[in-house]
Amino acid sequence: MELLLQNLINGLAIGSVYAIFAIGFTLMYSVLGVLNLSHAAVFTLGSFAGLFSATTLHLPPYIAFPVAMIASGMLAVVIDYLVLRPLRARRADPLAPLITTFGAMVVLTSLAQIVTDTQAMRYPPDFLPARMFYFGWLQITEIQITMIVSSVFLTIALSLFLRRAKFGKAVRAVAVSESVSLLLGIPVNRVIALTNFIAGALGGGAGVLIGVAFNAVVYSMGENYMLKGITAIVLGGFGSIPGAMIGSLFIGVLESLSVGYGGGHFRDAIIFALLVATLIVRPQGFLGKDSLGQRS
Amino acid sequence: MSEIWFRMTELWLIYGSVVQFMLINIALALSTFAVMSTGVFSVAGVAFMAIGAYTSAIMTVRFGQSMVVGMICGVALSLIISGLLGPIVLRLRGHYLAIASLGCVMVVYAILMNANTLTGGALGLKGVPVVVETWQLILFVVILAYLFHVLSGSRVGRAWKAIRQDERAAASMGINVFRYRLLAFVLSAPIAAVAGSLFVHLTGFAFPSNYEFSMALNMVASVVLGGMNHWLGSVLGAAILSILPEALRSLSQYREIVNGSILVLTMIFLPRGLFDPRWLQQRLDALAKALGALQRSKRPHG
């Protein structure tokens, strides 16, 4: 029983980070209609930005974290401008963005590989103290608490923004229909840039949290999380933010249980098999499809 | 004479491996082309290449069979798996299909990494007999070229082209879209499997990270660069992408960056790819017209 509960806690902590990542993904999908594979590279570079601000700039965690998020948000805007905007202007084939963002991901990932010389890097030991709290047999680390708290905070902030703020409502309007929004005088291009910024910031934030949690920042970390993020989105239904969140938590728990009970050998195989199986059985996901705009 | 012979051998020693890998890349590009020419974006070819490569490697290293046996087993396995997987995966469309194919690649990769007793895990399988010679690769590519040449003019090739250009219009003309896509999918699998088998018997080892993202990029980039209008485009694309890193040897570190940038730039600036028969035809027509006009102007009036 203790083992089960402990695994649940570990799984929810890691799943809550997957959730931030996946929400960024699904936000871009519902507004732009594009599965932006470069989100993985933004995740990785966010992690590097956090590391850079912590080691070279000696910033404390509560500043380094927002700095990394802003940097990755800006990166996402630049990627969109270079790689997706020309395709939007041409009204290209819906699969073309898949190819260009894949290309962008590879370029950025191998840039990171060259810059870091393929080495894994670590956060300084005093960046986040590795304190633990005990509840009877259960232990929870301070990092895990940070992960859960920041994930909950960011998700609530995002949904408040989308529901209450004027610009948030504009984002939802663009998700419903770009041309109608344009007719109504919504600055669509700015909304798209903002969406990319938010999504990128969320991706980069997830990168920092994962980098701190496993205390390793590697150039190749993004690819794996991208696939987990995609699995989470598929499980929850494309374009659905609550779906992405629940899917991510489910994956986190599933992973943690498979490591706890199965030794973790086939952890990734289980996740990807789940992805393929979901696509076959229920491609619209288990929470049905309610894209950002269709639900208000 | 012996001088020329000596020079040739020297050149081959330096660039032979480039030619060999180019031939394998051409085969892989053609395998991907078969699927993409029906308007399906799938990277599952990497999974079938891995299946061909590892089946061959396991049969030779673990069971002491010959390469031919290994290759036949790999092809058979790829046919079975693509036959089972195809009908399921091809029911999906667009993004969902692309994701599912990526999922298949990752499942195969995870199995390669973790089924240590059979595949050697992350260290891979070493000591695969190196028995492939260049003429075998050339023969394989020539056979494929002949196959695609025949297919492109046939009922099947025309159906594929129609499906890619407009799926609904093709369906309303009575083309069974699903069945033709399945045919392309199941045809592409053994091509990739043979290429994988040749690849391990050329290099002498099977290594899991060869069958991951970068290979998917390699295959898709060749087809996109060459253009999806004609199979020769994929041959051209694969050849360029194989020779380019060699020509830019000082930039070999940046190979993936070059590949990725080519993918992005082609998609944005050359959406129809490098090899575009229509464009070629237009140029030829214009040339013929100009020549005709020239000839007429030489003729005296009257």
Side-chain angles (χ1 to χ4, degrees):
Chain A
M1 191 62 202
E2 279 87 18
L3 183 63
L4 180 68
L5 278 176
Q6 184 65 55
N7 276 317
L8 273 178
I9 290 179
N10 295 347
L12 286 176
I14 201 80
S16 62
V17 181
Y18 294 167
I20 324 179
F21 181 74
I23 286 172
F25 232 146
T26 213
L27 187 68
M28 282 188 287
Y29 181 82
S30 55
V31 175
L32 304 171
V34 162
L35 195 66
N36 190 338
L37 296 181
S38 69
H39 200 51
V42 173
F43 169 91
T44 312
L45 295 186
S47 197
F48 277 113
L51 185 74
F52 179 75
S53 6
T55 51
T56 314
L57 306 176
H58 300 291
L59 296 173
Y62 53 86
I63 299 179
F65 189 54
V67 164
M69 284 182 71
I70 291 170
S72 22
M74 288 183 338
L75 177 68
V77 174
V78 172
I79 292 174
D80 174 77
Y81 189 79
L82 291 178
V83 156
L84 290 176
R85 188 188 47 101
L87 299 179
R88 270 200 301 276
R90 201 176 72 214
R91 295 181 184 283
D93 185 63
L95 286 178
L98 210 59
I99 297 175
T100 54
T101 55
F102 183 51
M105 178 192 89
V106 173
V107 169
L108 289 171
T109 307
S110 54
L111 260 181
Q113 181 181 13
I114 292 166
V115 170
T116 62
D117 209 13
T118 322
Q119 297 294 313
M121 300 198 288
R122 293 182 187 290
Y123 277 88
D126 53 344
F127 184 67
L128 262 188
R131 262 182 305 203
M132 286 201 201
F133 301 96
Y134 289 92
F135 301 96
W137 284 95
L138 300 176
Q139 57 172 27
I140 180 162
T141 63
E142 192 164 334
I143 293 170
Q144 284 176 324
I145 293 174
T146 316
M147 282 152 76
I148 295 174
V149 169
S150 34
S151 164
V152 169
F153 171 75
L154 287 172
T155 314
I156 291 176
L158 178 68
S159 49
L160 279 180
F161 170 75
L162 288 175
R163 283 181 191 287
R164 300 258 188 274
K166 197 173 173 192
F167 228 68
K169 287 179 184 165
V171 170
R172 275 162 53 210
V174 175
V176 178
S177 165
E178 213 179 297
S179 44
V180 172
S181 310
L182 202 61
L183 281 174
L184 291 173
I186 294 173
V188 170
N189 281 329
R190 240 183 294 162
V191 169
I192 287 176
L194 179 79
T195 308
N196 277 300
F197 182 82
I198 295 175
L202 290 174
V208 177
L209 288 172
I210 292 283
V212 174
F214 295 105
N215 202 7
V217 181
V218 202
Y219 72 97
S220 61
M221 61 198 288
E223 294 171 356
N224 211 357
Y225 290 101
M226 176 182 80
L227 284 159
K228 284 173 190 166
I230 290 179
T231 312
I233 296 174
V234 168
L235 275 177
F238 264 94
S240 153
I241 288 182
M245 180 139 195
I246 292 170
S248 307
L249 293 178
F250 180 73
I251 287 174
V253 171
L254 186 71
E255 255 185 20
S256 158
L257 289 178
S258 78
V259 173
Y261 292 99
H265 261 315
F266 283 92
R267 187 184 69 179
D268 290 349
I270 290 173
I271 301 289
F272 302 134
L274 181 71
L275 167 67
V276 178
T278 312
L279 282 169
I280 292 162
V281 181
R282 206 179 153 77
Q284 72 272 40
F286 287 100
L287 289 182
K289 185 168 178 164
D290 55 341
S291 100
L292 262 184
Q294 283 157 358
R295 205 180 156 203
S296 54
Chain B
M1 197 61 204
S2 67
E3 171 73 6
I4 295 170
W5 185 244
F6 177 73
R7 285 260 170 250
M8 294 284 279
T9 342
E10 201 181 49
L11 270 180
W12 182 252
L13 278 179
I14 300 172
Y15 293 112
S17 65
V18 180
V19 175
Q20 288 168 335
F21 287 126
M22 182 182 85
L23 290 166
I24 287 179
N25 282 335
I26 288 174
L28 290 170
L30 284 174
S31 155
T32 313
F33 171 79
V35 183
M36 283 179 72
S37 71
T38 63
V40 167
F41 183 82
S42 159
V43 291
V46 182
F48 294 120
M49 182 192 178
I51 287 170
Y54 266 86
T55 311
S56 216
I58 290 168
M59 286 311 270
T60 46
V61 174
R62 299 266 193 245
F63 301 106
Q65 300 292 327
S66 72
M67 173 190 144
V68 178
V69 176
M71 191 186 276
I72 290 171
C73 290
V75 167
L77 195 60
S78 76
L79 274 173
I80 294 170
I81 293 179
S82 66
L84 292 174
L85 208 59
I88 302 171
V89 172
L90 291 172
R91 283 193 198 290
L92 303 167
R93 40 191 64 245
H95 288 130
Y96 293 100
L97 204 162
I99 295 170
S101 74
L102 202 58
C104 294
V105 173
M106 292 318 286
V107 171
V108 169
Y109 177 71
I111 293 172
L112 297 184
M113 285 292 277
N114 291 300
N116 290 13
T117 47
L118 216 52
T119 64
L123 297 175
L125 272 179
K126 291 186 189 68
V128 182
V130 181
V131 287
V132 167
E133 289 179 39
T134 313
W135 67 264
Q136 291 164 323
L137 299 173
I138 294 174
L139 180 69
F140 181 46
V141 170
V142 168
I143 292 173
L144 285 181
Y146 179 71
L147 176 72
F148 276 88
H149 174 69
V150 170
L151 271 179
S152 70
S154 73
R155 193 184 171 83
V156 174
R158 279 177 281 136
W160 285 354
K161 208 168 178 178
I163 293 171
R164 195 191 75 242
Q165 280 169 357
D166 193 330
E167 195 183 321
R168 282 189 200 142
S172 69
M173 298 292 286
I175 295 171
N176 189 331
V177 174
F178 176 75
R179 201 179 291 168
Y180 276 106
R181 280 193 172 151
L182 186 61
L183 180 67
F185 192 77
V186 175
L187 177 74
S188 80
I191 298 176
V194 173
S197 170
L198 290 171
F199 181 64
V200 288
H201 289 287
L202 187 69
T203 55
F205 56 83
F207 198 60
S209 62
N210 281 336
Y211 309 100
E212 226 205 329
F213 274 105
S214 56
M215 187 50 85
L217 171 73
N218 188 17
M219 290 161 73
V220 173
S222 303
V223 178
V224 169
L225 177 65
M228 274 167 265
N229 305 297
H230 198 277
W231 60 271
L232 269 175
S234 304
V235 174
L236 184 70
I240 291 176
L241 286 184
S242 311
I243 295 170
L244 202 63
E246 217 47 43
L248 310 169
R249 190 180 275 270
S250 55
L251 300 176
S252 66
Q253 201 186 359
Y254 304 106
R255 181 187 172 137
E256 300 229 313
I257 296 184
V258 171
N259 276 3
S261 315
I262 284 178
L263 203 57
V264 173
L265 294 174
T266 320
M267 217 58 217
I268 292 176
F269 296 110
L270 270 176
R272 297 178 61 83
L274 281 179
F275 188 87
D276 187 351
R278 206 197 292 172
W279 181 85
L280 208 65
Q281 192 61 48
Q282 276 169 2
R283 292 302 109 191
L284 285 177
D285 287 350
L287 194 69
K289 220 183 206 171
L291 282 178
L294 202 68
Q295 240 163 18
R296 268 199 303 280
S297 70
K298 273 182 189 162
R299 234 179 273 147
H301 291 283

